[in-house]
Amino acid sequence: DDVELQTILKDISAYYNLQLEYKSETPRHLRLHLLWDKTQGPGRTIETLNHFEKVNITLSDGKMTVE
């Protein structure tokens, strides 16, 4: 329910044991409504998040990078 992206990504990174890096501070404070299906895996979850406007996240070598 209308949560900041940084909170969502903190939870996702902890759940999947991923590192989290921000290249820009702007996306941290975007507010989103996400119904997270934990059975999808991290790649599919990030793909879902990337459908939101102004969200660009990559996953490589156990690290999520937010542009």
Side-chain angles (χ1 to χ4, degrees):
D1 282 305
D2 193 33
V3 176
E4 284 191 338
L5 182 61
Q6 68 181 348
T7 302
I8 293 169
L9 293 181
K10 181 180 149 200
D11 291 346
I12 290 171
S13 65
Y15 185 82
Y16 294 119
N17 195 31
L18 300 169
Q19 293 179 335
L20 180 57
E21 176 184 12
Y22 289 89
K23 297 281 186 176
S24 169
E25 291 298 309
T26 305
R28 285 181 184 259
H29 304 291
L30 292 173
R31 298 191 75 80
L32 305 174
H33 175 78
L34 176 71
L35 295 176
W36 175 24
D37 180 357
K38 294 177 183 172
T39 65
Q40 289 185 340
R44 182 78 174 134
T45 300
I46 290 169
E47 184 180 311
T48 299
L49 283 166
N50 282 334
H51 286 286
F52 286 96
E53 187 176 335
K54 300 181 183 176
V55 176
N56 183 17
I57 304 166
T58 57
L59 176 63
S60 180
D61 297 324
K63 178 166 58 172
M64 289 191 305
T65 304
V66 185
E67 301 291 334

Coordinates of all heavy atoms in Angstrom, one line a residue:
D1 N 0.8 -1.2 0.0 CA 0.0 0.0 0.0 C 0.9 1.3 0.0 O 1.4 1.6 1.0 CB -0.9 0.0 1.2 CG -2.1 -0.9 1.1 OD1 -2.8 -0.7 0.2 OD2 -2.3 -1.7 2.0
D2 N 1.0 1.9 -1.1 CA 1.6 3.2 -1.2 C 2.8 3.3 -0.3 O 2.9 4.1 0.6 CB 0.6 4.3 -0.9 CG 1.1 5.7 -1.3 OD1 1.8 5.8 -2.3 OD2 0.7 6.6 -0.6
V3 N 3.9 2.5 -0.6 CA 5.1 2.5 0.2 C 6.3 3.0 -0.7 O 6.3 2.8 -1.9 CB 5.4 1.0 0.6 CG1 6.7 0.9 1.4 CG2 4.2 0.5 1.4
E4 N 7.2 3.6 0.0 CA 8.4 4.1 -0.7 C 9.2 2.9 -1.3 O 9.3 1.8 -0.7 CB 9.3 4.9 0.2 CG 8.8 6.3 0.5 CD 9.9 7.1 1.2 OE1 10.8 6.6 1.8 OE2 9.7 8.4 1.1
L5 N 9.7 3.1 -2.5 CA 10.5 2.1 -3.2 C 11.6 1.6 -2.4 O 11.9 0.4 -2.4 CB 11.0 2.6 -4.6 CG 11.8 1.7 -5.4 CD1 10.9 0.5 -5.8 CD2 12.4 2.3 -6.6
Q6 N 12.3 2.5 -1.6 CA 13.4 2.0 -0.8 C 13.0 1.0 0.2 O 13.7 0.0 0.6 CB 14.2 3.2 -0.1 CG 13.4 3.9 0.9 CD 14.2 5.1 1.5 OE1 15.4 5.2 1.2 NE2 13.5 6.0 2.2
T7 N 11.8 1.1 0.8 CA 11.3 0.1 1.7 C 11.0 -1.2 1.1 O 11.3 -2.3 1.6 CB 10.0 0.7 2.4 OG1 10.3 1.9 3.0 CG2 9.4 -0.3 3.4
I8 N 10.4 -1.1 -0.1 CA 10.0 -2.3 -0.9 C 11.3 -3.1 -1.2 O 11.4 -4.3 -1.0 CB 9.3 -2.0 -2.2 CG1 7.9 -1.4 -1.8 CG2 9.1 -3.2 -3.1 CD1 7.1 -0.8 -2.9
L9 N 12.3 -2.3 -1.7 CA 13.6 -3.0 -2.2 C 14.4 -3.5 -1.0 O 15.0 -4.5 -1.1 CB 14.4 -2.0 -3.0 CG 13.8 -1.7 -4.3 CD1 14.7 -0.7 -5.1 CD2 13.5 -2.9 -5.2
K10 N 14.3 -2.9 0.1 CA 15.0 -3.3 1.3 C 14.4 -4.7 1.7 O 15.1 -5.6 2.0 CB 14.8 -2.3 2.5 CG 15.5 -2.8 3.8 CD 15.2 -1.7 4.8 CE 15.2 -2.4 6.2 NZ 14.6 -1.6 7.2
D11 N 13.1 -4.8 1.7 CA 12.4 -6.1 2.0 C 12.8 -7.2 1.0 O 13.1 -8.3 1.3 CB 10.9 -5.9 2.1 CG 10.5 -5.1 3.2 OD1 11.3 -4.8 4.2 OD2 9.3 -4.6 3.2
I12 N 12.7 -6.8 -0.3 CA 13.1 -7.8 -1.4 C 14.5 -8.2 -1.3 O 14.8 -9.4 -1.3 CB 12.8 -7.2 -2.7 CG1 11.2 -7.0 -2.9 CG2 13.4 -8.0 -3.9 CD1 10.8 -6.2 -4.1
S13 N 15.4 -7.3 -1.1 CA 16.8 -7.7 -1.0 C 17.1 -8.6 0.2 O 17.9 -9.5 0.2 CB 17.7 -6.5 -1.0 OG 17.5 -5.7 0.2
A14 N 16.4 -8.3 1.3 CA 16.6 -9.2 2.5 C 16.0 -10.5 2.3 O 16.7 -11.6 2.6 CB 15.9 -8.5 3.7
Y15 N 14.9 -10.6 1.7 CA 14.2 -11.9 1.4 C 15.0 -12.8 0.5 O 15.2 -14.0 0.8 CB 12.8 -11.7 0.8 CG 12.0 -12.9 0.7 CD1 11.3 -13.5 1.8 CD2 12.0 -13.6 -0.6 CE1 10.6 -14.7 1.6 CE2 11.2 -14.8 -0.7 CZ 10.6 -15.3 0.4 OH 9.9 -16.5 0.2
Y16 N 15.6 -12.2 -0.6 CA 16.3 -13.0 -1.5 C 17.8 -13.0 -1.3 O 18.6 -13.5 -2.1 CB 16.1 -12.5 -3.0 CG 14.6 -12.7 -3.4 CD1 13.8 -11.6 -3.8 CD2 14.1 -14.0 -3.5 CE1 12.5 -11.8 -4.2 CE2 12.8 -14.2 -4.0 CZ 12.0 -13.1 -4.3 OH 10.7 -13.3 -4.7
N17 N 18.2 -12.3 -0.2 CA 19.7 -12.2 0.2 C 20.5 -11.6 -0.9 O 21.5 -12.1 -1.4 CB 20.2 -13.6 0.6 CG 21.5 -13.5 1.3 OD1 21.8 -12.5 2.0 ND2 22.4 -14.5 1.1
L18 N 20.0 -10.4 -1.4 CA 20.7 -9.6 -2.4 C 21.3 -8.3 -1.8 O 20.8 -7.8 -0.9 CB 19.7 -9.3 -3.5 CG 19.0 -10.4 -4.2 CD1 17.9 -9.9 -5.1 CD2 20.0 -11.2 -5.1
Q19 N 22.4 -7.9 -2.5 CA 22.9 -6.6 -2.1 C 22.0 -5.5 -2.9 O 21.5 -5.8 -3.9 CB 24.3 -6.4 -2.6 CG 25.3 -7.3 -1.8 CD 26.7 -7.1 -2.4 OE1 27.0 -6.7 -3.5 NE2 27.7 -7.4 -1.5
L20 N 22.0 -4.3 -2.4 CA 21.2 -3.3 -2.9 C 22.0 -2.0 -3.1 O 22.7 -1.6 -2.2 CB 20.0 -3.0 -2.0 CG 19.0 -1.9 -2.5 CD1 18.4 -2.2 -3.8 CD2 17.9 -1.8 -1.4
E21 N 22.1 -1.5 -4.3 CA 22.9 -0.3 -4.6 C 22.0 0.7 -5.4 O 21.2 0.4 -6.3 CB 24.1 -0.7 -5.5 CG 24.9 0.5 -5.9 CD 26.0 0.2 -6.8 OE1 26.1 -0.9 -7.4 OE2 26.9 1.0 -7.0
Y22 N 22.1 2.0 -5.0 CA 21.4 3.1 -5.7 C 22.4 3.9 -6.4 O 23.3 4.4 -5.8 CB 20.6 4.0 -4.6 CG 19.4 3.3 -4.0 CD1 19.6 2.5 -2.9 CD2 18.2 3.4 -4.6 CE1 18.5 1.9 -2.3 CE2 17.1 2.8 -4.0 CZ 17.2 2.0 -2.9 OH 16.1 1.4 -2.3
K23 N 22.1 4.1 -7.7 CA 23.0 5.0 -8.5 C 22.5 6.5 -8.4 O 23.2 7.4 -8.7 CB 23.0 4.6 -10.0 CG 23.6 3.2 -10.2 CD 25.1 3.3 -10.2 CE 25.6 1.9 -10.6 NZ 27.1 1.9 -10.7
S24 N 21.2 6.6 -8.0 CA 20.6 7.9 -7.8 C 19.7 7.9 -6.6 O 19.1 6.8 -6.3 CB 19.7 8.2 -9.1 OG 18.9 9.3 -8.9
E25 N 19.5 9.0 -5.9 CA 18.7 9.1 -4.7 C 17.2 9.2 -5.1 O 16.3 8.9 -4.3 CB 19.1 10.2 -3.9 CG 20.5 10.0 -3.2 CD 20.5 8.8 -2.3 OE1 19.6 8.8 -1.4 OE2 21.4 8.0 -2.4
T26 N 16.9 9.7 -6.3 CA 15.5 10.1 -6.7 C 14.6 8.9 -6.5 O 13.5 9.0 -5.9 CB 15.5 10.6 -8.1 OG1 16.4 11.8 -8.1 CG2 14.1 11.1 -8.5
P27 N 14.9 7.7 -7.1 CA 13.9 6.6 -7.0 C 13.6 6.1 -5.6 O 12.5 5.5 -5.4 CB 14.6 5.5 -7.8 CG 15.7 6.1 -8.5 CD 16.1 7.3 -7.8
R28 N 14.5 6.3 -4.6 CA 14.2 5.9 -3.3 C 12.9 6.3 -2.7 O 12.2 5.6 -2.0 CB 15.3 6.4 -2.3 CG 16.6 5.8 -2.4 CD 17.5 6.4 -1.4 NE 18.9 6.0 -1.5 CZ 19.4 5.0 -0.6 NH1 18.7 4.5 0.3 NH2 20.6 4.7 -0.8
H29 N 12.4 7.5 -3.1 CA 11.2 8.1 -2.5 C 10.0 8.0 -3.4 O 8.9 8.5 -3.0 CB 11.5 9.5 -2.1 CG 12.7 9.7 -1.2 ND1 12.7 9.2 0.1 CD2 14.0 10.1 -1.4 CE1 13.9 9.4 0.6 NE2 14.7 9.9 -0.3
L30 N 10.1 7.2 -4.5 CA 8.9 7.0 -5.3 C 8.0 6.1 -4.4 O 8.4 5.2 -3.7 CB 9.3 6.2 -6.5 CG 10.1 7.0 -7.6 CD1 10.5 6.0 -8.7 CD2 9.3 8.1 -8.2
R31 N 6.7 6.4 -4.5 CA 5.7 5.6 -3.7 C 5.0 4.7 -4.7 O 4.5 5.2 -5.7 CB 4.8 6.6 -3.0 CG 5.6 7.5 -2.0 CD 4.7 8.2 -1.0 NE 4.1 7.4 0.0 CZ 4.7 7.0 1.1 NH1 5.9 7.3 1.3 NH2 4.1 6.2 2.0
L32 N 4.9 3.4 -4.3 CA 4.3 2.4 -5.2 C 3.3 1.5 -4.4 O 3.5 1.4 -3.1 CB 5.4 1.5 -5.7 CG 6.5 2.1 -6.5 CD1 7.5 1.1 -6.9 CD2 6.0 2.8 -7.8
H33 N 2.4 0.9 -5.1 CA 1.6 -0.1 -4.5 C 1.9 -1.4 -5.3 O 1.8 -1.5 -6.5 CB 0.1 0.2 -4.8 CG -0.8 -0.9 -4.3 ND1 -1.1 -1.0 -3.0 CD2 -1.5 -1.8 -5.0 CE1 -2.0 -2.1 -2.9 NE2 -2.2 -2.6 -4.1
L34 N 2.5 -2.3 -4.5 CA 3.0 -3.6 -5.1 C 2.4 -4.8 -4.4 O 2.6 -4.8 -3.1 CB 4.5 -3.6 -5.1 CG 5.2 -4.9 -5.6 CD1 5.0 -5.1 -7.1 CD2 6.6 -5.0 -5.2
L35 N 1.8 -5.7 -5.1 CA 1.5 -7.0 -4.5 C 2.6 -7.9 -4.9 O 2.7 -8.4 -6.0 CB 0.1 -7.5 -5.0 CG -1.1 -6.6 -4.7 CD1 -2.3 -7.1 -5.4 CD2 -1.3 -6.6 -3.2
W36 N 3.5 -8.2 -3.9 CA 4.7 -9.0 -4.1 C 4.4 -10.5 -4.0 O 4.0 -10.9 -2.9 CB 5.7 -8.5 -3.2 CG 7.0 -9.3 -3.2 CD1 7.5 -10.0 -4.2 CD2 7.9 -9.4 -2.1 NE1 8.7 -10.5 -3.8 CE2 9.0 -10.2 -2.5 CE3 8.0 -8.8 -0.8 CZ2 10.1 -10.4 -1.7 CZ3 9.1 -9.1 0.0 CH2 10.1 -9.9 -0.5
D37 N 4.6 -11.2 -5.0 CA 4.4 -12.7 -5.0 C 5.8 -13.3 -4.8 O 6.6 -13.3 -5.7 CB 3.8 -13.2 -6.4 CG 3.7 -14.7 -6.4 OD1 4.1 -15.4 -5.5 OD2 3.1 -15.1 -7.4
K38 N 6.1 -13.7 -3.6 CA 7.4 -14.2 -3.2 C 7.8 -15.5 -3.9 O 9.0 -15.8 -3.9 CB 7.5 -14.3 -1.7 CG 7.4 -13.0 -1.0 CD 7.4 -13.2 0.5 CE 7.2 -11.8 1.2 NZ 7.0 -11.9 2.6
T39 N 6.9 -16.1 -4.6 CA 7.2 -17.4 -5.3 C 7.8 -17.1 -6.6 O 8.3 -18.0 -7.3 CB 5.9 -18.3 -5.4 OG1 5.0 -17.6 -6.3 CG2 5.3 -18.6 -4.1
Q40 N 7.7 -15.9 -7.1 CA 8.2 -15.5 -8.5 C 9.7 -15.6 -8.6 O 10.2 -15.7 -9.7 CB 7.7 -14.2 -8.9 CG 6.3 -14.1 -9.2 CD 5.9 -12.7 -9.7 OE1 6.6 -11.7 -9.5 NE2 4.8 -12.6 -10.3
G41 N 10.4 -15.3 -7.5 CA 11.9 -15.2 -7.6 C 12.3 -13.8 -7.9 O 11.5 -13.0 -8.3
P42 N 13.6 -13.5 -7.6 CA 14.0 -12.1 -7.7 C 14.0 -11.5 -9.1 O 13.6 -10.3 -9.3 CB 15.4 -12.1 -7.2 CG 15.9 -13.5 -7.3 CD 14.7 -14.4 -7.2
G43 N 14.3 -12.3 -10.1 CA 14.3 -11.8 -11.5 C 12.9 -11.3 -12.0 O 12.8 -10.2 -12.5
R44 N 12.0 -12.1 -11.7 CA 10.6 -11.8 -12.1 C 10.0 -10.7 -11.2 O 9.3 -9.8 -11.8 CB 9.7 -13.1 -11.9 CG 8.3 -12.9 -12.3 CD 8.1 -12.9 -13.8 NE 6.7 -12.9 -14.1 CZ 6.2 -12.1 -15.0 NH1 7.0 -11.4 -15.8 NH2 4.9 -12.1 -15.3
T45 N 10.4 -10.6 -10.0 CA 10.0 -9.5 -9.1 C 10.5 -8.2 -9.6 O 9.8 -7.2 -9.7 CB 10.4 -9.7 -7.7 OG1 9.9 -11.0 -7.2 CG2 10.0 -8.6 -6.7
I46 N 11.8 -8.1 -10.0 CA 12.4 -6.9 -10.5 C 11.8 -6.6 -11.9 O 11.5 -5.4 -12.2 CB 13.9 -7.1 -10.6 CG1 14.5 -7.1 -9.2 CG2 14.6 -6.0 -11.5 CD1 16.0 -7.5 -9.2
E47 N 11.5 -7.6 -12.7 CA 10.8 -7.3 -14.0 C 9.5 -6.6 -13.7 O 9.1 -5.7 -14.4 CB 10.6 -8.6 -14.7 CG 10.0 -8.5 -16.1 CD 9.8 -9.8 -16.7 OE1 10.8 -10.6 -16.7 OE2 8.7 -10.1 -17.2
T48 N 8.7 -7.1 -12.7 CA 7.4 -6.5 -12.4 C 7.6 -5.0 -11.9 O 6.9 -4.1 -12.4 CB 6.8 -7.3 -11.3 OG1 6.5 -8.6 -11.7 CG2 5.4 -6.6 -10.8
L49 N 8.6 -4.8 -11.1 CA 8.9 -3.4 -10.6 C 9.3 -2.5 -11.8 O 8.9 -1.3 -11.8 CB 10.0 -3.4 -9.6 CG 9.6 -3.9 -8.2 CD1 10.8 -4.1 -7.3 CD2 8.7 -2.8 -7.5
N50 N 10.0 -3.0 -12.8 CA 10.5 -2.2 -13.9 C 9.3 -1.7 -14.8 O 9.5 -0.9 -15.6 CB 11.5 -2.9 -14.7 CG 12.9 -2.8 -14.0 OD1 13.2 -1.9 -13.3 ND2 13.7 -3.8 -14.3
H51 N 8.1 -2.3 -14.6 CA 7.0 -1.9 -15.4 C 6.4 -0.5 -14.8 O 5.7 0.1 -15.5 CB 5.8 -2.9 -15.3 CG 6.1 -4.1 -16.2 ND1 6.1 -4.1 -17.6 CD2 6.5 -5.4 -15.9 CE1 6.4 -5.2 -18.1 NE2 6.7 -6.0 -17.1
F52 N 6.8 -0.2 -13.6 CA 6.4 1.1 -13.1 C 7.2 2.2 -13.7 O 8.4 2.1 -14.0 CB 6.6 1.2 -11.5 CG 5.7 0.4 -10.7 CD1 6.0 -0.9 -10.3 CD2 4.4 0.9 -10.4 CE1 5.1 -1.7 -9.6 CE2 3.5 0.1 -9.6 CZ 3.9 -1.1 -9.2
E53 N 6.5 3.3 -13.9 CA 7.2 4.5 -14.5 C 8.3 5.0 -13.6 O 8.1 5.0 -12.4 CB 6.1 5.6 -14.7 CG 6.6 6.8 -15.5 CD 5.5 7.8 -15.7 OE1 4.3 7.5 -15.7 OE2 5.9 9.0 -15.8
K54 N 9.4 5.4 -14.1 CA 10.5 5.9 -13.4 C 11.3 4.9 -12.6 O 12.1 5.3 -11.7 CB 10.1 7.1 -12.5 CG 9.5 8.2 -13.2 CD 9.1 9.4 -12.3 CE 8.4 10.5 -13.0 NZ 8.0 11.5 -12.2
V55 N 11.0 3.6 -12.8 CA 11.8 2.6 -12.1 C 12.6 1.8 -13.0 O 12.2 1.3 -14.1 CB 10.8 1.6 -11.3 CG1 11.6 0.5 -10.7 CG2 10.0 2.3 -10.3
N56 N 13.9 1.7 -12.8 CA 14.9 0.9 -13.6 C 15.8 0.2 -12.7 O 16.7 0.8 -12.1 CB 15.6 1.9 -14.6 CG 16.5 1.1 -15.5 OD1 16.4 -0.1 -15.6 ND2 17.5 1.7 -16.1
I57 N 15.6 -1.1 -12.5 CA 16.4 -1.9 -11.6 C 17.0 -3.0 -12.4 O 16.4 -3.6 -13.3 CB 15.5 -2.5 -10.5 CG1 14.8 -1.4 -9.8 CG2 16.4 -3.3 -9.6 CD1 13.7 -1.9 -8.9
T58 N 18.3 -3.3 -12.2 CA 19.0 -4.5 -12.8 C 19.4 -5.4 -11.7 O 19.6 -5.1 -10.6 CB 20.2 -4.0 -13.7 OG1 21.1 -3.3 -12.8 CG2 19.8 -3.2 -14.8
L59 N 19.5 -6.7 -12.1 CA 20.0 -7.7 -11.2 C 21.2 -8.4 -11.8 O 21.1 -8.9 -13.0 CB 18.9 -8.7 -10.9 CG 19.2 -9.9 -10.1 CD1 19.6 -9.5 -8.7 CD2 18.0 -10.9 -10.0
S60 N 22.3 -8.4 -11.1 CA 23.5 -9.1 -11.6 C 24.4 -9.5 -10.5 O 24.6 -8.7 -9.6 CB 24.3 -8.1 -12.5 OG 25.4 -8.7 -13.0
D61 N 24.8 -10.7 -10.5 CA 25.8 -11.3 -9.5 C 25.3 -11.0 -8.1 O 26.1 -10.6 -7.2 CB 27.2 -10.7 -9.7 CG 27.8 -11.1 -11.0 OD1 27.5 -12.2 -11.5 OD2 28.5 -10.2 -11.6
G62 N 24.0 -11.3 -7.8 CA 23.5 -11.1 -6.5 C 23.3 -9.7 -6.0 O 23.2 -9.4 -4.8
K63 N 23.3 -8.7 -6.9 CA 23.1 -7.3 -6.5 C 22.0 -6.7 -7.4 O 22.0 -6.8 -8.6 CB 24.4 -6.6 -6.7 CG 24.3 -5.1 -6.4 CD 25.6 -4.4 -6.2 CE 26.5 -4.4 -7.4 NZ 27.7 -3.5 -7.3
M64 N 21.1 -6.0 -6.7 CA 20.1 -5.2 -7.4 C 20.7 -3.8 -7.4 O 21.1 -3.2 -6.4 CB 18.8 -5.1 -6.6 CG 18.0 -6.4 -6.6 SD 16.4 -6.1 -5.9 CE 16.7 -5.4 -4.3
T65 N 20.7 -3.2 -8.7 CA 21.1 -1.8 -8.9 C 20.0 -1.0 -9.4 O 19.3 -1.3 -10.3 CB 22.3 -1.8 -9.9 OG1 23.3 -2.7 -9.4 CG2 22.8 -0.4 -10.0
V66 N 19.7 0.1 -8.7 CA 18.6 1.0 -9.0 C 19.2 2.2 -9.7 O 20.1 2.9 -9.1 CB 17.9 1.5 -7.7 CG1 16.7 2.3 -8.1 CG2 17.4 0.2 -6.9
E67 N 18.8 2.5 -10.9 CA 19.3 3.6 -11.7 C 18.6 4.9 -11.3 O 17.4 4.9 -11.0 CB 19.2 3.4 -13.2 CG 20.0 2.1 -13.6 CD 21.5 2.2 -13.5 OE1 22.0 3.4 -13.6 OE2 22.2 1.2 -13.4

